[in-house]
Amino acid sequence: MSDWFPKNISTFGGDIDSVFNLIFWIVGIGFLLGEVFIFYALFRFRRREGKKAEYVNGDLWPHVGWLIIPAAIILVLDLWIDFAGAKAYDRIKGDMPISDVVVKVDGKQFNWIITYPGPDGAFGTEDDLILENELHVPVNKVVKVLLGSKDVIHSFFVPVLRLKQDMLPGREIEAWFEATETGRYEIACAELCGYGHYTMRGFLSVHSEAEYANWLVERWPAPETEADGQQK
Amino acid sequence: MSEHGNGHAEPTSFLRKYVFSIDHKVIGKQYLFLSLFMALFGGLMAYYMRWQLAWPETAIPGAGWIPEPMAFGGIIPPEFYNALITLHGTIMVFFVGMPLLLGALGNYLVPLMIGADDMAFPRLNMMSFWTITTASLVLMASFFVEGGAASAGWTGYAPLSADPIHTGVGWGLNLWIMALALEFTSFLMGGINFLTTVVTMRVPGMTMFRLPLMVWMQITAAVLFMLSVGPLIAGAILLLLDRTVGTGFFIPERGGDPLLWQHLFWFFGHPEVYVVLLPGLGAIMEILPVFTRRPIFGYKTIVYSTIVAGALSFLVWAHHMFVSGIDPQIVMPFSITTILISVPFAVIIFAFMASLWGGSIRFTTPMLFAIGTIVTFIIGGVTGIFNGSAPVDIFIHDTYFVVAHFHFTLFPDVFLGGFAALYFWFPKMFGKMMNETLGKVHFWWTTITFNMVFIPMFLIGAGGHMRRIYNPLQYDFLKPMQDINIFITWSAVALLVGQLVFIFNFFWSMYRGKKAEDNPWEATTLEWAAAPTPPPHGNFETVPTVYHGPYEYSCPGQETDWQPQHVEKGSVAA
Amino acid sequence: MSEAIAMTEHQPTHEVKGRMGMWWFLASEIMTFGGFIAIYVLYRMASGGAWSSMAEHVSTLMGTINTVVLLTSSLTIVKAYEAIDKQDRKSAQRFLLITLILAFAFLGVKAIEYATEISNGYTPLTGIFWSFYFVMTGLHGLHVVGGIVAIGALYIMAIRGTLWNGTQKRVEYIGLYWHFVDIVWIFLFPLLYLSY
Ligand SMILES: [Cu+2]
Ligand SMILES: [Cu+2]
């Protein structure tokens, strides 16, 4: 079923997809077995003349075993899923890798306000660059996004990155990703934020390293950058 | 007149008999009609939403009557779309699911099943019904106030819901909160009534482990509701104050915390799912033994599993908040409890499956619906594992995968289970049999179209399709899935239209149906075996005494294959 | 109606049902007030001491007076119940009346307290502590009003002489409720008045 997923261009996207697949197979097989059992039982034990039903109330051993043993199997499978999930979750939400690029993304009815700190690396300074709905990042680099909101709760959702994180007003939440393929992808808001929620669409542009360097130079031509940096 | 014991006199005036009745059977029917009426609205809203999703911003057939500014010549604006999603959810959970499964079935069946002549507090019972009726009116009225109805989703997340400036919705959302508060009050009163009734009014011999499982499910639901709703009532009061007085409990600039609302909502929300779920499963538990002609498998195991699941349901709420910004440290523990809650439910499903084995199965309409409930509910159950897994939830949270999942739990339970119950108990309630052929047509039509609506939603959800989106064509990555959206919409139309068969059958049978005998299904529980059809005021002609458990079918050495609860084994069935 | 008589034989008496209903009612009330108290405590912990300066301005004196008033009223309603048990109608009436007066006294002190705070500029909008203060004491006050209505009804019944024919157990149920109102206050008092 993960064929239906959008393309994955994130380093940890594969972990999510593989946990999904693991659950899909475990649950899928269990589901099929269960349904086959039900339909077989319905067919085999349909009413027939002269055949009385069996009187088994199932409250005594060993009958209870017919419920407890399958339940124990479910428990073991559950734990398997939990452990696989915990590993993937730790990779994504555990210790954050050292980031190469830091960007601030704020939700605001109904736009993405994207702030680059500029060469000085600090937010709230004059060399900050503020863009609307356009997020530019280099490929194969760890990007840290600082998520916030100016009004209500939004949710930063990049399907190709398998990244979703709510953005709360009054809080800054860190998330990270590392894109593995260049291209231009869509950013969506995943949390109902008002009448314009559905229009809250942004773009993630993943550039090759050279392209990204160019993009940086275009924004912050070298001499000014240095001057700026020293002023602060 | 004063009530001594419970033998309050039978009222004679029309108003006292049918409108302000204190007879649990009449009140049960009132709840039934209320919930069916509200279901029509909920379904109509679903239709408008689906049409908008398939053919965005076109005139919806049958929406022309909606006045401006809700719709413009049948075209609905995003504000109204958001109101539709909000009210659809609110109505289906609180004004259809609960009144149908707890209000109607609980009221009608609990006293009959335990041998009582009425509820413990008949007047309180009447008040419960009129409170939820008032709540329904308040909710519907909210469409017509300035600014329109609530549009912050049925979950009403703050701060979107906490300050009118974010949505432009003023009194609409206040009325929504008030309607919910009234609804909660109604079901708290109902819960107090159910619990007191079951604890104090069982007939001699009706021990707790001889109760029909439906009664167990009802009282577990009542306890879960009572223990979970309090904090949300507190939260609702705070939310209302934020909106009207200007306090800042959920507004960060004023020192509040928006996440608190989510915690309160879901601390209630997950147990609430079981409040709705359990009585629906309870109906299945009553129907299975009757039409397999054998005892349910593992009565006690089912009861214990239900209690375990109920207790666990208080420890899983944060699974709705994995991407909300809560501390990642507490995510995994909640993920584990969530996935573990599948164990007690798996036990219950296994018990259902084992109950088929060795039976002598009769495929009547109620039985078909009961089987349909189990078969589809399993899909809802197993897909919950995906949502419960924290890493997977990062991707599928707030997508149609989640929408499909909870519709696969609640629709089978409320509608398929509800229909099973209605086809099953209709003869007792109205003294007439429903038409079997129409019933079977209704079953196949409903089950097939239901799956056609919601299975594709798993696929588009896996494709990343966000929920609560007014126009999916805004996004390039959703455009390839638009054909599926159109397919879903046609299926939904078919699903809704198919319900006309039920409505016709329901009313036609009420007047023209074959007269029902006292116990047409040859069932063992008191409401069938000991009470006349339809039961008179006071329910039983003589007080039954109970000799054994509720599902004594095909006992060895007995003449008939059913042994009523109030007839001792060995003696001839009355 | 012989049928009704047959019913009553196995039916529990009104008292059992009434008491049980009241307990279930109080259980749901506990969850609601418990919700408020939990929210308050969590917020307060998260605020890291910033509330203490606000909490200082609450009148501990009036809070203490009200605590004494309410505790005494809990005692007097027990006395009323005991008097009824002993068929002593006169003192039952008297104790119900004292309970009523104490309940009104509680509200009176509360009104003075509110008026003072508001005239000093502390309204529900002054800050989140004050929002909690007014909401929680306000809701508790509403419960006191509810208690006054119920106890007042009992008192009127007592005067009219209708409280004795099998309905005197109502004093017990209302008493339970009144103790609950008291216990909520016992939680609110330290949380709001003594916690700076
Ligand atoms: Cu949004
Ligand atoms: Cu949940």
Side-chain angles (χ1 to χ4, degrees):
Chain A
M1 199 164 143
S2 52
D3 303 347
W4 284 85
F5 280 14
K7 172 164 108 176
N8 167 38
I9 62 152
S10 143
T11 48
F12 58 67
D15 299 49
I16 289 179
D17 295 2
S18 68
V19 178
F20 185 97
N21 281 328
L22 173 76
I23 300 174
F24 182 77
W25 285 112
I26 292 177
V27 144
I29 291 169
F31 166 74
L32 279 181
L33 288 176
E35 302 283 357
V36 165
F37 177 94
I38 290 174
F39 285 105
Y40 174 69
L42 289 175
F43 174 76
R44 178 165 160 196
F45 297 103
R46 68 193 185 279
R47 176 187 197 174
R48 275 178 283 191
E49 274 319 311
K51 199 158 181 297
K52 231 179 151 186
E54 289 164 28
Y55 179 82
V56 181
N57 66 26
D59 263 334
L60 297 170
W61 290 102
H63 288 139
V64 184
W66 287 103
L67 302 180
I68 301 297
I69 291 166
I73 296 172
I74 299 273
L75 180 67
V76 171
L77 294 174
D78 278 355
L79 291 174
W80 183 11
I81 292 169
D82 279 331
F83 281 120
K87 231 172 90 188
Y89 193 77
D90 188 54
R91 160 115 200 258
I92 302 162
K93 292 278 170 177
D95 295 328
M96 193 172 292
I98 295 159
S99 50
D100 305 300
V101 180
V102 182
V103 194
K104 206 151 105 168
V105 181
D106 285 298
K108 181 171 176 263
Q109 287 181 329
F110 299 98
N111 274 308
W112 305 97
I113 312 295
I114 289 156
T115 314
Y116 285 84
D120 65 354
F123 288 103
T125 53
E126 260 173 51
D127 67 343
D128 283 8
L129 173 70
I130 297 178
L131 298 173
E132 272 197 3
N133 302 326
E134 295 285 345
L135 176 60
H136 294 266
V137 300
V139 72
N140 293 329
K141 285 272 164 21
V142 174
V143 179
K144 178 154 65 162
V145 274
L146 307 174
L147 302 170
S149 167
K150 309 249 185 238
D151 37 47
V152 299
I153 298 178
H154 303 274
S155 191
F156 182 72
F157 178 33
V158 191
V160 289
L161 292 175
R162 307 289 186 269
L163 173 64
K164 187 182 288 135
Q165 176 60 57
D166 284 6
M167 312 157 93
L168 300 171
R171 284 257 296 271
E172 193 175 80
I173 297 168
E174 291 184 353
W176 70 276
F177 62 86
E178 184 181 340
T180 56
E181 248 178 77
T182 59
R184 193 169 146 86
Y185 308 97
E186 282 173 302
I187 301 170
C189 178
E191 184 65 68
L192 180 64
C193 55
Y195 60 86
H197 166 56
Y198 71 109
T199 60
M200 216 169 140
R201 174 189 186 215
F203 293 96
L204 167 74
S205 301
V206 183
H207 301 286
S208 69
E209 213 160 323
E211 227 177 74
Y212 185 71
N214 261 341
W215 183 81
L216 283 183
V217 171
E218 271 171 39
R219 308 292 130 169
W220 292 279
E224 280 178 42
T225 308
E226 268 178 34
D228 256 7
Q230 278 153 11
Q231 269 172 18
K232 302 283 125 60
Chain B
M1 98 160 263
S2 77
E3 303 150 22
H4 42 86
N6 250 35
H8 51 77
E10 183 165 3
T12 43
S13 79
F14 177 82
L15 213 58
R16 279 302 197 79
K17 205 166 171 177
Y18 298 108
V19 185
F20 297 105
S21 172
I22 55 172
D23 184 324
H24 74 101
K25 299 185 291 298
V26 178
I27 295 171
K29 287 182 196 172
Q30 289 176 319
Y31 271 109
L32 174 62
F33 287 113
L34 174 76
S35 60
L36 294 179
F37 184 72
M38 293 305 278
L40 291 180
F41 279 104
L44 188 67
M45 289 174 185
Y47 161 70
Y48 292 150
M49 279 146 54
R50 278 317 315 176
W51 193 279
Q52 162 65 26
L53 285 168
W55 301 282
E57 294 167 66
T58 59
I60 303 172
W65 63 276
I66 303 175
E68 290 179 17
M70 284 187 250
F72 300 89
I75 299 175
I76 57 171
E79 290 88 342
F80 187 61
Y81 178 82
N82 288 352
L84 288 177
I85 59 165
T86 306
L87 273 287
H88 170 78
T90 305
I91 286 178
M92 287 305 197
V93 172
F94 297 111
F95 293 87
V96 178
M98 289 179 76
L100 177 64
L101 298 175
L102 292 106
L105 295 183
N107 258 304
Y108 195 89
L109 295 172
V110 167
L112 278 167
M113 284 178 157
I114 65 171
D117 62 342
D118 206 323
M119 296 284 269
F121 309 111
R123 268 176 214 157
L124 185 70
N125 204 12
M126 177 185 80
M127 268 168 61
S128 312
F129 173 74
W130 287 104
T131 307
I132 189 178
T133 306
T134 312
S136 315
L137 292 173
V138 171
L139 195 69
M140 300 316 279
S142 74
F143 271 110
F144 301 100
V145 296
E146 215 194 313
S151 64
W154 83 283
T155 50
Y157 276 11
L160 184 65
S161 59
D163 193 332
I165 59 161
H166 296 312
T167 51
V169 178
W171 269 91
L173 216 149
N174 298 352
L175 292 176
W176 176 80
I177 297 172
M178 289 174 192
L180 282 183
L182 283 172
E183 205 265 5
F184 295 159
T185 314
S186 164
F187 279 96
L188 277 176
M189 294 193 283
I192 290 168
N193 221 338
F194 283 139
L195 288 165
T196 311
T197 307
V198 174
V199 173
T200 64
M201 294 178 68
R202 284 165 288 135
V203 282
M206 182 61 90
T207 60
M208 289 308 272
F209 281 124
R210 284 180 185 168
L211 286 174
L213 283 166
M214 178 59 142
V215 180
W216 267 109
M217 297 298 130
Q218 292 283 351
I219 57 174
T220 316
V223 172
L224 290 183
F225 186 76
M226 190 172 281
L227 294 182
S228 62
V229 79
L232 186 60
I233 292 178
I237 293 172
L238 299 182
L239 186 64
L240 197 59
L241 290 172
D242 275 6
R243 291 181 61 80
T244 53
V245 179
T247 54
F249 294 106
F250 302 111
I251 300 170
E253 305 99 81
R254 302 183 206 151
D257 178 5
L259 272 189
L260 172 72
W261 172 261
Q262 297 183 28
H263 282 294
L264 296 174
F265 189 89
W266 291 117
F267 179 77
F268 162 74
H270 199 92
E272 165 69 9
V273 173
Y274 296 169
V275 169
V276 178
L277 184 67
L278 294 179
L281 295 182
I284 307 307
M285 295 170 193
E286 295 304 316
I287 292 167
L288 278 184
V290 175
F291 297 108
T292 56
R293 309 311 287 174
R294 51 152 296 168
I296 198 142
F297 191 94
Y299 175 104
K300 283 189 183 170
T301 319
I302 290 176
V303 171
Y304 292 134
S305 300
T306 308
I307 293 169
V308 169
L312 269 177
S313 76
F314 287 95
L315 303 173
V316 297
W317 79 89
H319 63 212
H320 299 269
M321 302 169 62
F322 285 161
V323 301
S324 70
I326 53 171
D327 186 347
Q329 296 291 318
I330 66 167
V331 164
M332 258 344 268
F334 275 102
S335 183
I336 291 169
T337 53
T338 299
I339 291 179
L340 288 185
I341 211 167
S342 67
V343 173
F345 278 108
V347 171
I348 293 174
I349 295 295
F350 290 143
F352 288 173
M353 286 159 59
S355 298
L356 299 173
W357 199 262
S360 171
I361 301 170
R362 286 126 167 94
F363 295 98
T364 58
T365 305
M367 184 62 176
L368 286 177
F369 270 105
I371 296 165
T373 306
I374 299 169
V375 167
T376 43
F377 178 75
I378 294 176
I379 299 180
V382 297
T383 50
I385 305 267
F386 293 90
N387 304 311
S389 172
V392 176
D393 190 62
I394 292 175
F395 178 57
I396 60 177
H397 179 80
D398 268 333
T399 67
Y400 267 90
F401 194 95
V402 176
V403 176
H405 157 70
F406 67 70
H407 280 90
F408 255 102
T409 58
L410 286 176
F411 187 97
D413 181 66
V414 174
F415 288 105
L416 299 183
F419 285 135
L422 285 181
Y423 283 103
F424 184 62
W425 279 293
F426 186 91
K428 183 56 66 176
M429 294 172 105
F430 298 101
K432 303 283 175 65
M433 303 299 287
M434 280 181 88
N435 183 294
E436 273 286 306
T437 315
L438 286 178
K440 281 174 182 158
V441 170
H442 178 225
F443 166 75
W444 288 109
W445 186 273
T446 303
T447 314
I448 291 170
T449 51
F450 165 75
N451 280 284
M452 283 162 59
V453 173
F454 289 100
I455 286 189
M457 281 194 196
F458 283 118
L459 301 179
I460 60 173
H465 199 315
M466 297 81 74
R467 63 192 285 208
R468 294 170 169 176
I469 285 282
Y470 168 69
N471 182 350
L473 298 178
Q474 286 282 320
Y475 288 89
D476 287 334
F477 81 102
L478 297 181
K479 280 178 187 156
M481 291 185 259
Q482 191 56 17
D483 284 344
I484 304 183
N485 265 328
I486 292 171
F487 175 82
I488 293 174
T489 297
W490 281 124
S491 306
V493 169
L495 174 60
L496 290 169
V497 170
Q499 303 317 306
L500 292 174
V501 179
F502 171 76
I503 295 172
F504 173 76
N505 194 354
F506 188 85
F507 288 105
W508 186 83
S509 303
M510 204 182 286
Y511 295 103
R512 296 283 171 81
K514 203 179 83 194
K515 202 171 173 318
E517 297 156 34
D518 283 350
N519 191 358
W521 311 117
E522 302 190 331
T524 53
T525 43
L526 294 179
E527 89 275 23
W528 289 113
T533 290
H537 187 79
N539 291 345
F540 300 95
E541 265 136 29
T542 50
V543 177
T545 303
V546 168
Y547 295 100
H548 44 75
Y551 309 118
E552 295 296 298
Y553 291 94
S554 303
C555 304
Q558 296 292 308
E559 241 171 78
T560 57
D561 67 351
W562 49 291
Q563 191 66 32
Q565 275 198 282
H566 68 300
V567 178
E568 254 180 298
K569 281 186 196 175
S571 68
V572 183
Chain C
M1 235 166 116
S2 62
E3 165 198 334
I5 293 162
M7 289 288 172
T8 42
E9 278 171 15
H10 79 276
Q11 295 296 353
T13 54
H14 240 51
E15 285 105 76
V16 179
K17 282 197 259 175
R19 188 183 301 126
M20 176 146 296
M22 181 52 79
W23 275 115
W24 289 121
F25 168 70
L26 293 182
S28 53
E29 284 272 54
I30 286 169
M31 288 310 292
T32 307
F33 271 104
F36 272 112
I37 289 170
I39 296 167
Y40 172 84
V41 170
L42 286 173
Y43 266 42
R44 180 128 198 194
M45 274 158 43
S47 76
W51 290 15
S52 299
S53 56
M54 289 191 264
E56 269 172 28
H57 300 284
V58 177
S59 169
T60 312
L61 174 68
M62 293 205 218
T64 315
I65 295 173
N66 259 350
T67 309
V68 175
V69 169
L70 211 53
L71 280 174
T72 318
S73 76
S74 244
L75 183 73
T76 54
I77 203 161
V78 172
K79 284 283 180 199
Y81 176 66
E82 279 175 7
I84 283 174
D85 233 24
K86 288 185 213 138
Q87 298 285 327
D88 181 354
R89 299 185 181 195
K90 266 260 136 47
S91 56
Q93 280 178 18
R94 193 172 59 232
F95 280 118
L96 282 175
L97 183 64
I98 296 173
T99 312
L100 261 185
I101 292 169
L102 288 171
F104 274 112
F106 179 90
L107 287 185
V109 173
K110 187 105 274 169
I112 297 168
E113 198 184 317
Y114 276 9
T116 326
E117 303 301 1
I118 290 170
S119 65
N120 286 342
Y122 301 116
T123 71
L125 303 183
T126 310
I128 199 126
F129 171 81
W130 289 102
S131 303
F132 272 110
Y133 167 83
F134 280 103
V135 171
M136 285 161 72
T137 55
L139 199 74
H140 178 263
L142 283 179
H143 279 74
V144 174
V145 172
I148 287 177
V149 171
I151 298 166
L154 290 179
Y155 181 62
I156 291 169
M157 287 174 80
I159 290 178
R160 287 198 188 151
T162 49
L163 191 57
W164 325 105
N165 314 318
T167 52
Q168 71 271 32
K169 280 280 172 185
R170 288 183 190 179
V171 179
E172 185 195 338
Y173 316 144
I174 305 295
L176 275 175
Y177 169 79
W178 195 246
H179 291 324
F180 166 78
V181 172
D182 198 1
I183 288 168
V184 169
W185 181 257
I186 298 293
F187 275 93
L188 294 187
F189 179 58
L191 284 172
L192 293 172
Y193 292 84
L194 302 176
S195 60
Y196 43 85

